[in-house]
Protein backbone atom coordinates (compact mmCIF):
# COMPACT_ATOMS: atom_id res chain seq x y z
CA UNK A 1 0.00 0.00 0.00
CA UNK A 2 1.30 3.42 -0.97
CA UNK A 3 2.16 5.91 1.71
CA UNK A 4 0.13 9.13 1.46
CA UNK A 5 2.26 11.91 -0.02
CA UNK A 6 2.53 15.42 1.36
CA UNK A 7 0.32 16.65 -1.48
CA UNK A 8 -2.15 13.93 -0.65
CA UNK A 9 -2.24 15.07 2.96
CA UNK A 10 -2.94 18.59 1.74
CA UNK A 11 -5.89 17.31 -0.28
CA UNK A 12 -7.20 15.73 2.90
CA UNK A 13 -6.20 18.72 5.04
CA UNK A 14 -9.49 18.69 6.88
CA UNK A 15 -8.64 15.26 8.20
CA UNK A 16 -10.69 12.19 8.82
CA UNK A 17 -13.13 13.81 11.24
CA UNK A 18 -14.12 16.50 8.78
CA UNK A 19 -14.64 13.90 6.08
CA UNK A 20 -16.77 11.71 8.26
CA UNK A 21 -18.81 14.53 9.75
CA UNK A 22 -19.50 16.00 6.36
CA UNK A 23 -20.14 12.84 4.40
CA UNK A 24 -21.29 10.14 6.77
CA UNK A 25 -24.96 10.92 7.47
CA UNK A 26 -26.88 9.34 10.25
CA UNK A 27 -28.55 6.20 8.77
CA UNK A 28 -31.77 6.96 10.65
CA UNK A 29 -31.90 10.39 9.01
CA UNK A 30 -31.06 8.79 5.67
CA UNK A 31 -33.96 6.43 6.14
CA UNK A 32 -36.39 9.30 6.59
CA UNK A 33 -34.96 11.61 3.94
CA UNK A 34 -35.83 11.31 0.29
CA UNK A 35 -33.41 11.87 -2.52
CA UNK A 36 -32.85 15.43 -3.66
CA UNK A 37 -32.97 16.88 -0.12
CA UNK A 38 -29.19 17.29 0.17
CA UNK A 39 -28.80 20.54 -1.75
CA UNK A 40 -27.92 19.02 -5.13
CA UNK A 41 -30.24 19.66 -8.04
CA UNK A 42 -28.38 17.76 -10.77
CA UNK A 43 -29.80 14.77 -12.63
CA UNK A 44 -29.86 11.52 -10.58
CA UNK A 45 -27.91 8.42 -11.49
CA UNK A 46 -31.17 6.63 -12.26
CA UNK A 47 -34.77 7.71 -12.36
CA UNK A 48 -35.59 5.01 -9.82
CA UNK A 49 -33.11 6.47 -7.35
CA UNK A 50 -34.80 9.85 -7.52
CA UNK A 51 -38.36 8.57 -7.31
CA UNK A 52 -37.97 6.01 -4.56
CA UNK A 53 -38.36 6.91 -0.90
CA UNK A 54 -35.90 4.70 1.01
CA UNK A 55 -36.41 3.09 4.35
CA UNK A 56 -33.77 1.32 6.42
CA UNK A 57 -35.03 -1.51 8.57
CA UNK A 58 -34.64 -0.83 12.32
CA UNK A 59 -32.02 -3.50 13.01
CA UNK A 60 -29.89 -2.44 10.08
CA UNK A 61 -30.28 1.24 11.00
CA UNK A 62 -29.15 0.57 14.57
CA UNK A 63 -26.05 -1.36 13.51
CA UNK A 64 -25.12 1.32 11.00
CA UNK A 65 -25.58 4.03 13.64
CA UNK A 66 -23.50 2.10 16.17
CA UNK A 67 -20.76 1.58 13.58
CA UNK A 68 -20.83 5.28 12.74
CA UNK A 69 -20.43 6.20 16.42
CA UNK A 70 -17.42 3.89 16.80
CA UNK A 71 -15.92 5.24 13.60
CA UNK A 72 -16.23 8.86 14.69
CA UNK A 73 -14.55 7.88 17.97
CA UNK A 74 -11.66 6.34 16.02
CA UNK A 75 -12.57 2.81 17.11
CA UNK A 76 -12.38 1.26 13.70
CA UNK A 77 -12.15 -2.38 14.79
CA UNK A 78 -15.35 -1.95 16.80
CA UNK A 79 -16.98 -0.27 13.81
CA UNK A 80 -15.98 -3.20 11.57
CA UNK A 81 -17.39 -5.65 14.12
CA UNK A 82 -20.76 -3.91 14.02
CA UNK A 83 -20.74 -3.77 10.23
CA UNK A 84 -19.85 -7.49 10.16
CA UNK A 85 -23.19 -8.25 11.80
CA UNK A 86 -24.98 -7.00 8.70
CA UNK A 87 -25.77 -9.39 5.84
CA UNK A 88 -25.58 -7.72 2.42
CA UNK A 89 -27.51 -10.55 0.76
CA UNK A 90 -30.49 -9.80 3.01
CA UNK A 91 -30.38 -6.03 2.45
CA UNK A 92 -32.02 -3.96 -0.24
CA UNK A 93 -29.79 -1.92 -2.64
CA UNK A 94 -30.06 1.28 -0.61
CA UNK A 95 -29.12 -0.47 2.63
CA UNK A 96 -26.19 -2.16 0.91
CA UNK A 97 -25.05 1.22 -0.46
CA UNK A 98 -25.06 2.64 3.09
CA UNK A 99 -23.15 -0.40 4.34
CA UNK A 100 -20.48 -0.21 1.63
CA UNK A 101 -20.11 3.51 2.10
CA UNK A 102 -19.58 3.03 5.83
CA UNK A 103 -17.08 0.24 5.09
CA UNK A 104 -15.27 2.72 2.86
CA UNK A 105 -15.08 5.32 5.60
CA UNK A 106 -13.74 2.78 8.09
CA UNK A 107 -11.11 1.63 5.58
CA UNK A 108 -10.11 5.25 5.06
CA UNK A 109 -9.77 5.72 8.82
CA UNK A 110 -7.45 2.70 8.87
CA UNK A 111 -5.45 4.20 5.99
CA UNK A 112 -6.37 1.36 3.65
CA UNK A 113 -7.03 3.68 0.73
CA UNK A 114 -7.38 0.99 -1.94
CA UNK A 115 -10.06 -0.77 0.10
CA UNK A 116 -11.78 2.55 0.77
CA UNK A 117 -12.03 3.24 -2.97
CA UNK A 118 -13.28 -0.29 -3.63
CA UNK A 119 -16.06 -0.03 -1.03
CA UNK A 120 -17.15 3.40 -2.22
CA UNK A 121 -17.34 2.13 -5.81
CA UNK A 122 -19.46 -0.77 -4.56
CA UNK A 123 -21.78 1.75 -2.90
CA UNK A 124 -22.21 3.54 -6.24
CA UNK A 125 -22.77 0.26 -8.07
CA UNK A 126 -25.96 -0.24 -6.09
CA UNK A 127 -27.48 2.74 -8.02
CA UNK A 128 -29.63 3.64 -5.08
CA UNK A 129 -27.96 6.64 -3.47
CA UNK A 130 -29.49 10.04 -3.97
CA UNK A 131 -27.81 12.28 -6.48
CA UNK A 132 -26.29 14.34 -3.69
CA UNK A 133 -24.91 11.31 -1.87
CA UNK A 134 -23.56 9.82 -5.08
CA UNK A 135 -21.87 13.12 -5.87
CA UNK A 136 -20.22 13.18 -2.47
CA UNK A 137 -18.99 9.60 -2.83
CA UNK A 138 -17.56 10.27 -6.29
CA UNK A 139 -15.68 13.29 -5.00
CA UNK A 140 -14.32 11.29 -2.08
CA UNK A 141 -13.09 8.64 -4.52
CA UNK A 142 -11.32 11.35 -6.52
CA UNK A 143 -9.71 12.69 -3.33
CA UNK A 144 -8.53 9.23 -2.34
CA UNK A 145 -6.93 8.70 -5.73
CA UNK A 146 -5.29 12.12 -5.40
CA UNK A 147 -3.86 11.18 -2.02
CA UNK A 148 -2.08 8.30 -3.76
CA UNK A 149 -1.09 10.47 -6.74
CA UNK A 150 -3.16 8.31 -9.07
CA UNK A 151 -3.89 11.20 -11.40
CA UNK A 152 -5.62 9.41 -14.33
CA UNK A 153 -8.05 7.86 -11.84
CA UNK A 154 -8.63 11.30 -10.33
CA UNK A 155 -9.58 12.64 -13.76
CA UNK A 156 -11.89 9.69 -14.47
CA UNK A 157 -13.64 10.05 -11.09
CA UNK A 158 -14.10 13.79 -11.47
CA UNK A 159 -15.47 13.43 -14.98
CA UNK A 160 -18.13 11.11 -13.56
CA UNK A 161 -18.67 13.60 -10.75
CA UNK A 162 -19.11 16.50 -13.16
CA UNK A 163 -21.57 14.48 -15.23
CA UNK A 164 -24.11 14.45 -12.37
CA UNK A 165 -23.54 18.01 -11.15
CA UNK A 166 -25.03 21.01 -12.88
CA UNK A 167 -23.44 23.36 -10.34
CA UNK A 168 -20.22 21.63 -9.23
CA UNK A 169 -18.46 24.66 -7.77
CA UNK A 170 -14.80 25.58 -7.78
CA UNK A 171 -13.21 22.85 -5.67
CA UNK A 172 -13.80 20.02 -8.11
CA UNK A 173 -12.31 21.94 -11.01
CA UNK A 174 -9.31 22.80 -8.84
CA UNK A 175 -8.65 19.11 -8.16
CA UNK A 176 -9.20 18.31 -11.84
CA UNK A 177 -6.70 21.00 -12.84
CA UNK A 178 -4.18 19.63 -10.36
CA UNK A 179 -4.55 16.14 -11.81
CA UNK A 180 -4.13 17.32 -15.40
CA UNK A 181 -1.12 19.41 -14.34
CA UNK A 182 0.55 16.40 -12.74
CA UNK A 183 -0.16 14.46 -15.95
CA UNK A 184 1.52 17.30 -17.93
CA UNK A 185 -1.67 17.92 -19.90
CA UNK A 186 -1.23 21.68 -19.62
CA UNK A 187 -4.08 22.74 -21.91
CA UNK A 188 -6.65 20.69 -19.98
CA UNK A 189 -5.12 21.84 -16.69
CA UNK A 190 -5.38 25.47 -17.76
CA UNK A 191 -9.03 25.14 -18.80
CA UNK A 192 -9.97 23.48 -15.49
CA UNK A 193 -7.98 25.93 -13.36
CA UNK A 194 -9.46 28.94 -15.13
CA UNK A 195 -12.95 27.47 -14.67
CA UNK A 196 -12.24 27.02 -10.96
CA UNK A 197 -11.14 30.66 -10.65
CA UNK A 198 -14.20 31.87 -12.58
CA UNK A 199 -16.54 29.93 -10.28
CA UNK A 200 -14.92 31.09 -7.05
CA UNK A 201 -16.24 34.22 -5.36
CA UNK A 202 -12.83 34.69 -3.78
CA UNK A 203 -10.20 32.40 -5.34
CA UNK A 204 -8.17 30.64 -2.69
CA UNK A 205 -4.42 31.09 -2.61
CA UNK A 206 -3.74 27.48 -3.62
CA UNK A 207 -5.99 27.83 -6.66
CA UNK A 208 -4.26 30.98 -7.89
CA UNK A 209 -0.89 29.37 -7.24
CA UNK A 210 -1.87 26.43 -9.43
CA UNK A 211 -3.12 28.68 -12.23
CA UNK A 212 0.12 30.65 -12.04
CA UNK A 213 2.21 27.46 -12.11
CA UNK A 214 0.38 26.25 -15.21
CA UNK A 215 0.90 29.51 -17.08
CA UNK A 216 4.56 29.65 -16.05
CA UNK A 217 5.09 26.08 -17.21
CA UNK A 218 3.53 27.04 -20.54
CA UNK A 219 5.93 30.03 -20.55
CA UNK A 220 2.98 32.33 -21.12
CA UNK A 221 4.48 35.13 -19.04
CA UNK A 222 2.08 37.81 -20.23
CA UNK A 223 -0.91 35.75 -19.05
CA UNK A 224 0.88 34.72 -15.84
CA UNK A 225 1.48 38.33 -14.80
CA UNK A 226 -2.12 39.28 -13.89
CA UNK A 227 -2.40 36.05 -11.88
CA UNK A 228 0.72 37.02 -9.92
CA UNK A 229 -0.71 40.51 -9.42
CA UNK A 230 -3.95 39.03 -8.06
CA UNK A 231 -2.04 36.75 -5.69
CA UNK A 232 -0.07 39.71 -4.38
CA UNK A 233 -3.18 41.86 -4.11
CA UNK A 234 -5.21 39.26 -2.24
CA UNK A 235 -2.39 37.87 -0.10
CA UNK A 236 0.16 40.68 0.37
CA UNK A 237 1.37 39.41 3.73
CA UNK A 238 2.38 35.95 2.54
CA UNK A 239 6.06 36.76 2.39
CA UNK A 240 8.45 37.83 -0.29
CA UNK A 241 7.96 35.00 -2.79
CA UNK A 242 5.07 36.69 -4.64
CA UNK A 243 6.96 39.99 -4.80
CA UNK A 244 10.05 38.33 -6.26
CA UNK A 245 7.97 36.27 -8.67
CA UNK A 246 6.09 39.29 -9.97
CA UNK A 247 9.31 41.27 -10.39
CA UNK A 248 10.84 38.38 -12.32
CA UNK A 249 7.78 38.17 -14.56
CA UNK A 250 8.09 41.83 -15.45
CA UNK A 251 11.82 41.30 -15.99
CA UNK A 252 11.45 38.46 -18.52
CA UNK A 253 9.02 40.67 -20.44
CA UNK A 254 11.64 43.45 -20.43
CA UNK A 255 9.40 45.73 -18.38
CA UNK A 256 12.31 46.74 -16.17
CA UNK A 257 10.58 49.78 -14.71
CA UNK A 258 7.83 47.65 -13.17
CA UNK A 259 10.31 44.94 -12.20
CA UNK A 260 12.28 47.57 -10.26
CA UNK A 261 9.18 49.16 -8.72
CA UNK A 262 7.97 45.81 -7.33
CA UNK A 263 11.38 45.02 -5.85
CA UNK A 264 11.61 48.45 -4.25
CA UNK A 265 8.21 47.97 -2.61
CA UNK A 266 9.36 44.59 -1.33
CA UNK A 267 12.54 46.14 0.06
CA UNK A 268 10.61 48.86 1.86
CA UNK A 269 8.64 46.13 3.65
CA UNK A 270 11.85 44.41 4.69
CA UNK A 271 11.43 41.38 2.45
CA UNK A 272 14.76 41.61 0.63
CA UNK A 273 17.19 39.91 2.98
CA UNK A 274 19.06 37.65 0.60
CA UNK A 275 22.29 38.67 -1.09
CA UNK A 276 21.03 37.83 -4.59
CA UNK A 277 17.84 39.84 -4.06
CA UNK A 278 19.69 43.01 -3.10
CA UNK A 279 22.12 42.62 -5.98
CA UNK A 280 19.19 42.25 -8.37
CA UNK A 281 17.66 45.44 -6.97
CA UNK A 282 20.95 47.29 -7.48
CA UNK A 283 21.41 45.97 -11.03
CA UNK A 284 17.85 46.91 -11.98
CA UNK A 285 18.49 50.39 -10.62
CA UNK A 286 21.59 50.64 -12.78
CA UNK A 287 19.68 49.40 -15.82
CA UNK A 288 17.09 52.13 -15.28
CA UNK A 289 19.79 54.81 -15.17
CA UNK A 290 19.43 55.21 -11.42
CA UNK A 291 23.01 54.56 -10.26
CA UNK A 292 22.69 56.56 -7.03
CA UNK A 293 19.77 54.37 -6.02
CA UNK A 294 22.02 51.37 -6.63
CA UNK A 295 24.70 53.00 -4.48
CA UNK A 296 22.24 53.47 -1.60
CA UNK A 297 21.05 49.87 -1.83
CA UNK A 298 24.58 48.50 -1.87
CA UNK A 299 25.91 50.79 0.85
CA UNK A 300 22.98 49.94 3.12
CA UNK A 301 23.28 46.23 2.38
CA UNK A 302 26.99 46.17 3.18
CA UNK A 303 26.66 48.30 6.31
CA UNK A 304 23.74 46.26 7.63
CA UNK A 305 25.48 43.00 6.65
CA UNK A 306 22.51 41.95 4.53
CA UNK A 307 24.90 41.83 1.59
CA UNK A 308 27.95 39.60 1.37
CA UNK A 309 31.11 41.70 1.35
CA UNK A 310 32.47 39.93 -1.71
CA UNK A 311 33.90 40.79 -5.12
CA UNK A 312 30.51 41.14 -6.80
CA UNK A 313 29.12 43.59 -4.26
CA UNK A 314 32.17 45.87 -4.24
CA UNK A 315 32.52 45.77 -8.02
CA UNK A 316 28.86 46.72 -8.48
CA UNK A 317 29.23 49.51 -5.92
CA UNK A 318 32.31 50.90 -7.65
CA UNK A 319 30.67 50.77 -11.08
CA UNK A 320 27.56 52.46 -9.68
CA UNK A 321 29.65 55.40 -8.47
CA UNK A 322 31.28 55.61 -11.90
CA UNK A 323 27.87 55.62 -13.62
CA UNK A 324 26.83 58.36 -11.19
CA UNK A 325 29.80 60.39 -12.55
CA UNK A 326 31.59 60.31 -9.24
CA UNK A 327 34.38 57.85 -10.09
CA UNK A 328 36.66 58.98 -7.29
CA UNK A 329 34.09 57.73 -4.77
CA UNK A 330 34.04 54.37 -6.50
CA UNK A 331 37.78 53.82 -6.30
CA UNK A 332 37.84 52.37 -2.75
CA UNK A 333 35.13 49.87 -3.66
CA UNK A 334 36.91 48.86 -6.89
CA UNK A 335 40.19 48.50 -5.00
CA UNK A 336 38.53 46.25 -2.43
CA UNK A 337 36.93 44.20 -5.21
CA UNK A 338 40.33 43.89 -6.90
CA UNK A 339 41.95 42.71 -3.67
CA UNK A 340 39.26 40.02 -3.23
CA UNK A 341 39.29 38.90 -6.86
CA UNK A 342 41.31 35.79 -7.78
CA UNK A 343 42.48 37.47 -11.01
CA UNK A 344 43.98 40.81 -11.85
CA UNK A 345 41.37 42.25 -14.23
CA UNK A 346 39.67 44.36 -11.56
CA UNK A 347 42.98 46.08 -10.88
CA UNK A 348 42.98 47.01 -14.58
CA UNK A 349 39.47 48.41 -14.17
CA UNK A 350 40.63 50.47 -11.17
CA UNK A 351 43.62 51.72 -13.14
CA UNK A 352 41.38 52.82 -16.03
CA UNK A 353 39.38 54.99 -13.63
CA UNK A 354 42.59 56.49 -12.22
CA UNK A 355 44.01 57.10 -15.70
CA UNK A 356 40.87 59.00 -16.66
CA UNK A 357 41.50 61.25 -13.66
CA UNK A 358 45.19 61.54 -14.58
CA UNK A 359 46.24 59.78 -11.40
CA UNK A 360 49.29 58.34 -13.12
CA UNK A 361 51.23 56.94 -10.18
CA UNK A 362 48.26 55.16 -8.49
CA UNK A 363 47.27 53.79 -11.91
CA UNK A 364 50.78 52.40 -12.41
CA UNK A 365 50.64 50.72 -9.00
CA UNK A 366 47.23 49.17 -9.82
CA UNK A 367 48.50 47.88 -13.18
CA UNK A 368 51.57 46.32 -11.58
CA UNK A 369 49.26 44.61 -9.08
CA UNK A 370 47.17 43.34 -12.00
CA UNK A 371 50.21 41.85 -13.74
CA UNK A 372 51.45 40.38 -10.48
CA UNK A 373 48.11 38.72 -9.76
CA UNK A 374 47.81 37.35 -13.29
CA UNK A 375 44.87 35.67 -14.96
CA UNK A 376 44.36 38.70 -17.20
CA UNK A 377 41.99 38.61 -20.13
CA UNK A 378 44.10 41.11 -22.11
CA UNK A 379 47.66 41.24 -20.74
CA UNK A 380 48.84 43.28 -23.73
CA UNK A 381 46.38 46.05 -22.91
CA UNK A 382 47.60 46.05 -19.32
CA UNK A 383 51.22 46.47 -20.41
CA UNK A 384 50.21 49.25 -22.81
CA UNK A 385 48.35 51.13 -20.06
CA UNK A 386 51.29 50.63 -17.68
CA UNK A 387 53.58 52.15 -20.29
CA UNK A 388 51.27 55.18 -20.57
CA UNK A 389 51.21 55.59 -16.77
CA UNK A 390 55.02 55.37 -16.58
CA UNK A 391 55.45 57.78 -19.46
CA UNK A 392 53.32 60.41 -17.69
CA UNK A 393 55.40 60.08 -14.53
CA UNK A 394 58.62 60.58 -16.53
CA UNK A 395 59.72 57.00 -16.07
CA UNK A 396 60.66 56.78 -19.73
CA UNK A 397 62.78 53.64 -19.67
CA UNK A 398 60.17 51.79 -17.58
CA UNK A 399 57.55 52.98 -20.07
CA UNK A 400 59.62 51.72 -23.01
CA UNK A 401 60.01 48.33 -21.35
CA UNK A 402 56.23 48.06 -20.82
CA UNK A 403 55.61 49.01 -24.47
CA UNK A 404 58.11 46.38 -25.62
CA UNK A 405 56.20 43.72 -23.69
CA UNK A 406 52.89 45.02 -25.09
CA UNK A 407 54.34 44.78 -28.60
CA UNK A 408 54.62 41.01 -28.17
CA UNK A 409 50.82 40.73 -28.38
CA UNK A 410 49.41 40.95 -31.89
CA UNK A 411 46.43 43.13 -31.01
CA UNK A 412 48.50 45.83 -29.28
CA UNK A 413 51.56 45.61 -31.55
CA UNK A 414 50.82 48.67 -33.66
CA UNK A 415 49.95 50.94 -30.72
CA UNK A 416 52.93 49.74 -28.71
CA UNK A 417 55.30 50.30 -31.64
CA UNK A 418 53.97 53.83 -32.11
CA UNK A 419 54.78 54.58 -28.45
CA UNK A 420 58.23 53.02 -28.78
CA UNK A 421 58.96 55.09 -31.88
CA UNK A 422 57.75 58.20 -30.05
CA UNK A 423 59.96 57.49 -27.04
CA UNK A 424 62.97 56.63 -29.20
CA UNK A 425 62.48 59.86 -31.12
CA UNK A 426 62.34 61.86 -27.87
CA UNK A 427 65.38 60.07 -26.50
CA UNK A 428 67.28 60.80 -29.71
CA UNK A 429 66.31 64.48 -29.57
CA UNK A 430 67.38 64.63 -25.92
CA UNK A 431 70.69 63.00 -26.75
CA UNK A 432 71.28 65.40 -29.66
CA UNK A 433 70.59 68.40 -27.43
CA UNK A 434 73.03 67.15 -24.87
CA UNK A 435 75.75 66.72 -27.50
CA UNK A 436 75.09 70.17 -28.93
CA UNK A 437 75.10 71.78 -25.50
CA UNK A 438 78.20 69.91 -24.57
Amino acid sequence: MKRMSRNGRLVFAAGLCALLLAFAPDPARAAAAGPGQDGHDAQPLTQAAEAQQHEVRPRNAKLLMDARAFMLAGKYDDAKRELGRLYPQHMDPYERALLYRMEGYVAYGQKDFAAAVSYLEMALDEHSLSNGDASQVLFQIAQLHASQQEWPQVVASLQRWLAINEDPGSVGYFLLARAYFEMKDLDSALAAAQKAVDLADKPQQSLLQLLLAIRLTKQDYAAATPVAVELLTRYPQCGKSYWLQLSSLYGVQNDLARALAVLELADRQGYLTDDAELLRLARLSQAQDLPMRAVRVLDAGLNEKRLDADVGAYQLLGNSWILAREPEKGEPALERAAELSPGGDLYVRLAQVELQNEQWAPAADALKDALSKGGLEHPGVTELLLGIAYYNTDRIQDARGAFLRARETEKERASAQAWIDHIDHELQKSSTRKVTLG
Side-chain angles (χ1 to χ4, degrees):
M1 181 177 65
K2 294 181 183 178
R3 183 179 179 87
M4 183 181 288
S5 68
R6 182 178 181 272
N7 289 333
R9 292 196 297 272
L10 290 175
V11 172
F12 279 86
L16 175 62
C17 289
L19 178 73
L20 299 179
L21 290 171
F23 298 137
D26 189 323
R29 180 182 174 191
Q37 297 183 21
D38 49 18
H40 292 264
D41 298 324
Q43 293 298 316
L45 289 174
T46 65
Q47 292 182 351
E50 183 179 36
Q52 183 180 2
Q53 289 286 343
H54 297 293
E55 293 184 0
V56 179
R57 281 164 285 190
R59 178 182 179 276
N60 293 343
K62 183 179 185 306
L63 289 172
L64 287 169
M65 290 172 64
D66 290 345
R68 178 178 182 270
F70 282 128
M71 178 182 61
L72 292 175
K75 299 178 180 179
Y76 301 114
D77 290 338
D78 292 333
K80 288 183 71 171
R81 185 194 65 237
E82 293 302 297
L83 294 175
R85 296 171 62 189
L86 292 165
Y87 303 100
Q89 66 272 25
H90 297 149
M91 302 172 80
D92 66 29
Y94 181 66
E95 291 174 324
R96 278 197 300 274
L98 295 181
L99 168 62
Y100 295 145
R101 184 168 63 175
M102 194 70 71
E103 293 270 22
Y105 295 154
V106 172
Y108 171 77
Q110 294 181 314
K111 303 190 185 313
D112 189 349
F113 304 119
V117 169
S118 178
Y119 278 122
L120 293 177
E121 289 285 6
M122 289 169 64
L124 292 174
D125 288 343
E126 293 297 326
H127 299 291
S128 60
L129 292 174
S130 71
N131 186 72
D133 286 346
S135 172
Q136 291 171 351
V137 170
L138 276 170
F139 195 78
Q140 291 160 22
I141 290 172
Q143 288 180 302
L144 284 164
H145 283 307
S147 76
Q148 301 303 289
Q149 301 183 39
E150 297 166 344
W151 304 115
Q153 293 91 325
V154 173
V155 170
S157 299
L158 288 174
Q159 287 173 339
R160 293 162 62 196
W161 178 76
L162 288 169
I164 64 169
N165 279 277
E166 291 180 354
D167 185 20
S170 175
V171 176
Y173 281 106
F174 166 69
L175 185 54
L176 183 61
R178 170 71 191 287
Y180 278 130
F181 183 64
E182 295 291 345
M183 293 166 63
K184 301 186 180 349
D185 184 349
L186 297 181
D187 290 337
S188 297
L190 178 59
Q194 190 61 61
K195 181 72 172 176
V197 170
D198 294 342
L199 289 172
D201 293 332
K202 179 184 177 182
Q204 293 298 306
Q205 187 175 357
S206 56
L207 173 53
L208 291 172
Q209 286 173 329
L210 177 59
L211 179 58
L212 179 61
I214 295 168
R215 293 202 179 279
L216 289 175
T217 305
K218 289 172 69 69
Q219 297 184 353
D220 189 352
Y221 302 123
T225 301
V227 183
V229 170
E230 185 171 2
L231 265 169
L232 192 53
T233 302
R234 290 185 180 276
Y235 306 100
Q237 304 305 320
C238 285
K240 66 183 177 183
S241 60
Y242 294 156
W243 295 90
L244 298 178
Q245 199 164 43
L246 180 58
S247 177
S248 295
L249 276 170
Y250 283 130
V252 297
Q253 296 172 83
N254 208 31
D255 190 347
L256 300 186
R258 283 194 173 92
L260 174 59
V262 171
L263 269 191
E264 285 186 318
L265 287 171
D267 190 41
R268 289 176 193 173
Q269 297 180 69
Y271 287 138
L272 302 191
T273 56
D274 185 78
D275 181 81
E277 296 158 4
L278 290 169
L279 290 177
R280 174 171 165 76
L281 177 58
R283 291 191 181 105
L284 278 172
S285 298
Q286 273 194 10
Q288 290 300 104
D289 294 324
L290 299 167
M292 282 307 302
R293 193 174 296 180
V295 166
R296 287 194 292 271
V297 169
L298 295 166
D299 265 340
L302 288 167
N303 291 333
E304 297 166 8
K305 302 192 183 307
R306 290 188 295 155
L307 197 59
D308 293 341
D310 58 14
V311 175
Y314 282 113
Q315 183 180 4
L316 191 57
L317 178 58
N319 289 336
S320 296
W321 277 117
I322 293 168
L323 290 171
R325 297 193 175 123
E326 297 190 57
E328 67 284 352
K329 293 184 178 179
E331 289 178 18
L334 284 178
E335 185 172 6
R336 182 59 180 148
E339 291 170 356
L340 294 171
S341 176
D345 280 320
L346 287 181
Y347 274 118
V348 178
R349 175 64 172 147
L350 172 62
Q352 288 171 329
V353 174
E354 292 170 333
L355 287 171
Q356 287 175 351
N357 293 325
E358 299 185 0
Q359 297 172 282
W360 310 113
D365 291 339
L367 292 163
K368 285 191 293 183
D369 288 338
L371 290 164
S372 176
K373 206 163 204 182
L376 298 173
E377 186 175 359
H378 302 292
V381 172
T382 307
E383 293 284 10
L384 188 69
L385 293 175
L386 180 58
I388 293 170
Y390 279 150
Y391 180 84
N392 284 281
T393 55
D394 295 326
R395 296 172 62 176
I396 303 301
Q397 291 299 333
D398 288 334
R400 193 175 190 281
F403 290 134
L404 285 171
R405 291 190 295 272
R407 191 176 63 177
E408 295 175 6
T409 61
E410 184 177 352
K411 189 174 180 181
E412 310 306 327
R413 184 167 296 137
S415 297
Q417 186 61 55
W419 274 103
I420 292 169
D421 292 343
H422 175 71
I423 289 174
D424 287 346
H425 180 69
E426 285 198 344
L427 288 174
Q428 186 176 6
K429 284 173 59 178
S430 176
S431 177
T432 302
R433 279 198 304 271
K434 286 180 181 177
V435 170
T436 302
L437 291 172

